[in-house]
Amino acid sequence: TLKTDLTDLLPPSEPSVRDLKDLQARTRSLGTLLVAVESRDAARRSVAARAMAARIRALGPELVGNLVVDDGAARRFGWDHRFLYAPLADLEAARDGLRERTRQAKLDANPLYVDLDDEGDKAAVEADRAATDEKMKRLRERLHEAEDKVAHPEELIAREDDLQLIIVKAPFPSSDMPRSERLLERVRDAARATEREAGPGVTVGLADEIVTGVAEQHAILRGMVLAILATIVVVGLSLVLYLRSVRAAACLLGSLSVGALCTFAVTRLTIGYLNSASAFLSAIVVGNGINFGIIVLSRHLEQRRAGDGHVGALATALGGSLVGTITAALGSGIAYASLLVTDFRGFHDFGAIGAIGMVLCWVSAYTVLPAGIAALERRGMLRPGRPPSLGPLVARLLPRNLRVVAVISALVAAATGVCTWRYLSGDPYEYNWEHLRADSAEANLGRRWMHRIDVAFGYGLASGFVVSVDRPEDAAAVEKILRAHAEPDDKDDRDDKDGKAGKPRPRGSAEGLPSPTGPLFRKVSTIQDVLPDRQEEKLAVLADLRRLTGPDTLEELSAEDRADVERLRPPADLAAIRAHDIPEALVPQFVENDGSRGKLVYADQASRFNGWNGRHMEVFAAAVRRLHFPDGTHLGGGPFVFADILRAVERDGPRATLAALLAVLVMVVVVVGPNRYGLATLAASLAGTSAMLACAWLLGVKVNFLDFAALPITLGISVDYAANVVARQRGDVADSARHALATTGGAVVLCSWTTIVGYGSLLLSANAGIRSFGMVAVVGELTCLAAALTVAPAVLDVLTPRARAAVG
């Protein structure tokens, strides 16, 4: 199972996760799919939209919960309750006009009535009567227009009249990937059929959360598949070229497969799923976990070339490589395990799987691999062949004067240390979340259509967040608080109840930090917005109208006036409309699972905030959380998730790095020893890690919730290479750096290469965040390898005069 929702990266204790769980338990979380039909020909566009809607309806209730193609339902409900939805001023004008007409009709019918007004008074009376007639005429026209709208509902058409919208509400949340994928596939089939039927000039596009969620899922899945395939192929070919034996490479890959498969079997039984941070660990486990087997197999083949029998060679390989590989495995495993000290699940799960992988791959290298080697040797199927030329080449590249190397290394370490300090102290975090989205063709197409819909129908058509409370009266208090911090044009948005979106919404600037004291919300909506306003006042006026339109009055009016009265006569059972009277189809977002209404409030961040800027969302979330809401209020939505992810990374990233550093220090001292070998190992590890951070600063790389994991991991991997070089030099009689590189250096380079392949395969991903992680990790591999091959021998040379003499 792959979970790509951002909430799956956060611990359950985070406020945004707790609030979302509460909302999900209370509300019917429905995924949204927007279908846009585009054509310059209005008639063809309308026909295509109706055909598209019919095909979507045919998908059935399992995939389609609600379909909105026009405003017919809202208009029918409005017409059925037209007296209460009519403006109060129009009702008062109708009442006053009927009262005046009734009075005048009674006077005209009285034969004893004599008009004693002078000409000026008569002119004023005539003017009043003309004004009343004009109001009545306008009211008749409004009634006729409203009735006509009911008979002819208006489709959802953009202002420029070339884009028509169909809103699909799924009966499941967009995070339900199997059903979301099935719905999207069927709707895309319907779109292709509609385009073929309509002919050239008609285009159907899909957008919103179901499209985005599926595109992100597909991007990560495709990236996973490409990464693991590329890693296996490239690593396999590299092993064959280095070992010069297909059988030896197959034996090593077979051993690795046991460790890797066991890793994800344990993951399935414990964690149960992969998230967007841990999804690509398969390639990393393969690329990094094979290192132990490479060292063992290379040492075995080296001993066989030296004339040892296969049993003795295998014993020497296992014993001679044990300290180095244990140190490497512990270093890598501890680096991954250091992420377990964090609450952030993006780090925690990544660390757990990586640590398990390193342990199981090491175990496989010392159990499955020796068994495979022995089986091949007994059958005469494993031949040592010529020694690899990579080791001697690495040894020749090592300068003769290692003191110069040590001085240069110290200067470089000082320079990279300064760069590292500037990088870490200069706010290295990535705040533009658009840089972390998938940029596959599927995702980009969905975003282009979403932008078209936003521009055409108004930004925020399906965005925002929800506030839930325990009691309806608390919702009124929350609404009051939100509207007090809303933009001035919020009232204009609320008055637009004809089903169309408001004015296009400008997005906040991606640069600069918005003030926490300005408007917080652009739009606030509750189920009360759907109800008529000033109902009690209207009911009083309507009662007057009913009294004025009794049977006695009708007899005294003209035929034209009688027709007006009959149209304006309210029904006897007229009563105020309450929230539970509104059809659920008109307000599905306000109806909870238990059927209750009136306890949910929707809002959207103010225009000055950029929803893709993490710093903006931090400011926004903090300001909203400081508002004094009633007890039991929950805030659910993307802004709060974004803010909590950034806060978690800023909190847990340094904690994991410090834990990794301390653990590596302790492990090297315990395993390698508090001696020159341990010091050389630590010096190379710190130099390589510092150089990686310096390169990140020079390249302008920003840290995201994936990149930060590269820092503690690089600390562990840097120990891997240095420990193997130092362990080989320590085990040699001559204690020669050049001999250690000639024998083990090639295997260390191959280990680094396979890990680079694992990380480099992430660059094939369509997710920009995963590519960023891969790039940073590859840089770390190169700097750590360079440090292991230069800094470690140089430090040993400085600390051991005998080693310097032996180099020459």
Side-chain angles (χ1 to χ4, degrees):
T1 302
L2 176 63
K3 296 184 178 182
T4 56
D5 194 276
L6 290 178
T7 57
D8 294 311
L9 298 175
L10 288 168
S13 59
E14 287 293 340
S16 59
V17 177
R18 292 199 314 266
D19 287 352
L20 276 176
K21 286 187 178 297
D22 174 79
L23 289 168
Q24 289 169 354
R26 291 174 54 174
T27 61
R28 304 168 188 179
S29 181
L30 307 179
T32 305
L33 176 64
L34 300 180
V35 180
V37 182
E38 182 182 32
S39 177
R40 294 288 182 182
D41 188 325
R44 292 178 63 202
R45 184 203 61 234
S46 181
V47 171
R50 287 196 294 271
M52 186 69 194
R55 288 186 169 97
I56 295 174
R57 283 195 191 94
L59 299 181
E62 180 188 356
L63 295 178
V64 180
N66 187 35
L67 192 67
V68 179
V69 296
D70 56 37
D71 58 1
R75 289 183 173 184
R76 283 191 297 274
F77 183 76
W79 174 255
D80 293 340
H81 300 85
R82 57 190 175 277
F83 293 102
L84 290 173
Y85 279 105
L88 180 61
D90 287 355
L91 294 177
E92 291 174 339
R95 178 195 61 191
D96 296 343
L98 284 173
R99 182 177 290 156
E100 175 60 24
R101 288 192 178 190
T102 301
R103 187 186 71 81
Q104 190 62 44
K106 288 181 178 180
L107 292 177
D108 292 343
N110 187 352
L112 301 178
Y113 170 70
V114 178
D115 188 355
L116 300 178
D117 292 336
D118 58 24
E119 292 300 321
D121 292 336
K122 288 180 179 180
V125 169
E126 289 299 324
D128 289 342
R129 181 175 296 177
T132 299
D133 289 343
E134 181 61 29
K135 290 179 180 178
M136 296 296 291
K137 178 182 177 183
R138 192 162 59 246
L139 187 58
R140 281 196 300 270
E141 290 174 349
R142 286 190 177 185
L143 284 171
H144 178 74
E145 181 183 354
E147 192 171 20
D148 183 66
K149 284 183 175 180
V150 173
H152 304 90
E154 186 174 320
E155 296 171 318
L156 307 180
I157 301 173
R159 293 176 182 85
E160 61 268 25
D161 207 37
D162 65 350
L163 202 66
Q164 187 166 334
L165 193 63
I166 301 170
I167 302 174
V168 182
K169 282 290 185 181
F172 49 82
S174 58
S175 57
D176 185 340
M177 276 299 128
R179 285 198 285 178
S180 289
E181 288 179 312
R182 193 156 64 249
L183 171 62
L184 192 55
E185 181 182 356
R186 301 285 179 81
V187 173
R188 281 174 174 158
D189 289 341
R192 286 189 285 267
T194 300
E195 288 176 341
R196 286 194 301 269
E197 182 179 88
V202 175
T203 306
V204 180
L206 310 179
D208 210 17
E209 57 187 20
I210 286 181
V211 174
T212 301
V214 171
E216 293 284 348
Q217 177 97 347
H218 286 174
I220 292 178
L221 282 172
R222 280 194 292 267
M224 287 171 58
V225 174
L226 285 174
I228 189 62
L229 290 179
T231 301
I232 291 173
V233 170
V234 176
V235 166
L237 290 175
S238 301
L239 290 175
V240 172
L241 292 174
Y242 178 81
L243 299 172
R244 297 173 179 172
S245 169
V246 174
R247 292 168 180 168
C251 181
L252 183 51
L253 287 175
S255 167
L256 173 69
S257 67
V258 175
L261 290 173
C262 286
T263 297
F264 290 98
V266 172
T267 301
R268 177 67 180 85
L269 295 173
T270 54
I271 299 174
Y273 62 90
L274 298 175
N275 58 42
S276 53
S278 59
F280 48 90
L281 268 168
S282 53
I284 295 176
V285 168
V286 169
N288 197 4
I290 200 172
N291 293 354
F292 317 120
I294 289 175
I295 299 296
V296 171
L297 183 57
S298 297
R299 187 65 183 274
H300 173 77
L301 294 177
E302 178 189 339
Q303 294 302 129
R304 291 286 282 138
R305 294 187 198 101
D308 291 356
H310 68 267
V311 175
L314 188 54
T316 301
L318 294 174
S321 63
L322 186 63
V323 173
T325 56
I326 282 182
T327 305
L330 287 175
S332 300
I334 286 173
Y336 283 109
S338 67
L339 297 172
L340 296 174
V341 304
T342 68
D343 295 325
F344 185 55
R345 279 193 291 179
F347 291 162
H348 190 278
D349 291 357
F350 189 100
I353 299 170
I356 292 169
M358 293 305 99
V359 171
L360 293 180
C361 287
W362 182 89
V363 170
S364 178
Y366 280 81
T367 54
V368 179
L369 179 59
I373 292 174
L376 290 177
E377 287 279 17
R378 285 173 183 171
R379 291 168 176 78
M381 299 173 66
L382 185 62
R383 302 187 184 281
R386 289 181 293 121
S389 57
L390 183 58
L393 175 62
V394 172
R396 285 196 297 272
L397 293 176
L398 184 68
R400 298 186 65 83
N401 192 338
L402 292 182
R403 283 187 172 182
V404 174
V405 175
V407 172
I408 295 174
S409 297
L411 294 175
V412 171
T416 57
V418 172
C419 294
T420 297
W421 173 255
R422 294 191 62 180
Y423 180 61
L424 296 179
S425 62
D427 196 10
Y429 298 102
E430 174 63 81
Y431 293 107
N432 189 344
W433 288 87
E434 288 185 293
H435 293 167
L436 304 180
R437 298 190 295 175
D439 54 10
S440 62
E442 180 183 18
N444 289 334
L445 180 61
R447 282 197 283 271
R448 285 197 296 271
W449 276 109
M450 192 71 246
H451 178 72
R452 285 288 320 279
I453 293 169
D454 276 345
V455 171
F457 292 91
Y459 284 94
L461 184 65
S463 65
F465 61 94
V466 61
V467 185
S468 70
V469 294
D470 294 334
R471 301 176 302 171
E473 53 267 32
D474 290 339
V478 168
E479 180 187 5
K480 184 178 179 180
I481 294 171
L482 296 180
R483 293 205 193 281
H485 294 83
E487 293 177 349
D489 62 349
D490 179 47
K491 179 63 167 64
D492 298 333
D493 285 335
R494 285 186 286 130
D495 285 343
D496 183 16
K497 295 183 180 180
D498 63 356
K500 296 181 181 178
K503 66 190 73 173
R505 170 192 174 192
R507 292 175 57 165
S509 170
E511 303 297 330
L513 200 61
S515 168
T517 58
L520 296 176
F521 313 105
R522 181 185 69 93
K523 184 177 181 180
V524 180
S525 59
T526 71
I527 197 170
Q528 300 299 321
D529 296 332
V530 186
L531 297 173
D533 57 0
R534 307 174 71 176
Q535 291 194 70
E536 297 304 323
E537 296 176 66
K538 291 178 181 179
L539 286 171
V541 174
L542 290 167
D544 291 341
L545 272 173
R546 185 163 180 79
R547 284 193 297 271
L548 289 170
T549 55
D552 296 340
T553 303
L554 292 175
E555 293 177 358
E556 297 172 355
L557 296 178
S558 66
E560 182 180 5
D561 289 345
R562 190 180 300 118
D564 281 341
V565 169
E566 289 175 345
R567 286 175 64 82
L568 293 173
R569 182 178 176 82
D573 59 349
L574 191 64
I577 305 173
R578 304 303 177 194
H580 62 269
D581 297 323
I582 304 173
E584 184 175 335
L586 296 183
V587 289
Q589 71 273 30
F590 293 110
V591 181
E592 300 184 37
N593 287 330
D594 61 0
S596 62
R597 307 182 182 194
K599 295 185 290 184
L600 301 176
V601 180
Y602 286 81
D604 196 5
Q605 64 260 21
S607 303
R608 65 195 184 94
F609 293 104
N610 183 345
W612 289 105
N613 187 304
R615 299 186 71 192
H616 284 220
M617 292 302 95
E618 280 188 309
V619 172
F620 173 76
V624 174
R625 285 167 171 166
R626 282 195 297 268
L627 298 177
H628 298 292
F629 293 118
D631 292 340
T633 300
H634 300 278
L635 305 168
F640 307 103
V641 174
F642 283 2
D644 284 351
I645 285 179
L646 271 176
R647 192 165 58 88
V649 171
E650 292 167 352
R651 178 192 68 226
D652 290 348
R655 182 192 302 174
T657 303
L658 180 60
L661 178 60
L662 294 176
V664 165
L665 287 172
V666 172
M667 183 273 299
V668 171
V669 170
V670 171
V671 177
V672 182
N675 48 40
R676 63 181 183 272
Y677 300 106
L679 184 59
T681 302
L682 288 175
S685 174
L686 295 176
T689 305
S690 179
M692 179 198 75
L693 292 174
C695 290
W697 177 67
L698 293 172
L699 295 172
V701 175
K702 291 293 186 179
V703 174
N704 56 60
F705 60 85
L706 297 175
D707 291 338
F708 217 121
L711 182 52
I713 292 171
T714 300
L715 280 168
I717 292 176
S718 61
V719 170
D720 184 335
Y721 307 140
N724 280 294
V725 171
V726 168
R728 183 56 189 266
Q729 185 170 344
R730 186 181 192 178
D732 282 348
V733 176
D735 197 5
S736 166
R738 197 175 302 281
H739 184 261
L741 294 183
T743 53
T744 300
V748 168
V749 171
L750 180 62
C751 289
S752 179
W753 167 246
T754 60
T755 307
I756 288 174
V757 170
Y759 286 132
S761 66
L762 305 183
L763 300 177
L764 300 173
S765 173
N767 185 287
I770 294 176
R771 289 201 306 272
S772 175
F773 176 88
M775 182 182 70
V776 172
V778 167
V779 170
E781 276 294 311
L782 294 174
T783 58
C784 289
L785 175 64
L789 298 180
T790 56
V791 175
V795 171
L796 280 177
D797 180 75
V798 170
L799 297 178
T800 311
R802 182 174 56 84
R804 288 202 304 272
V807 169

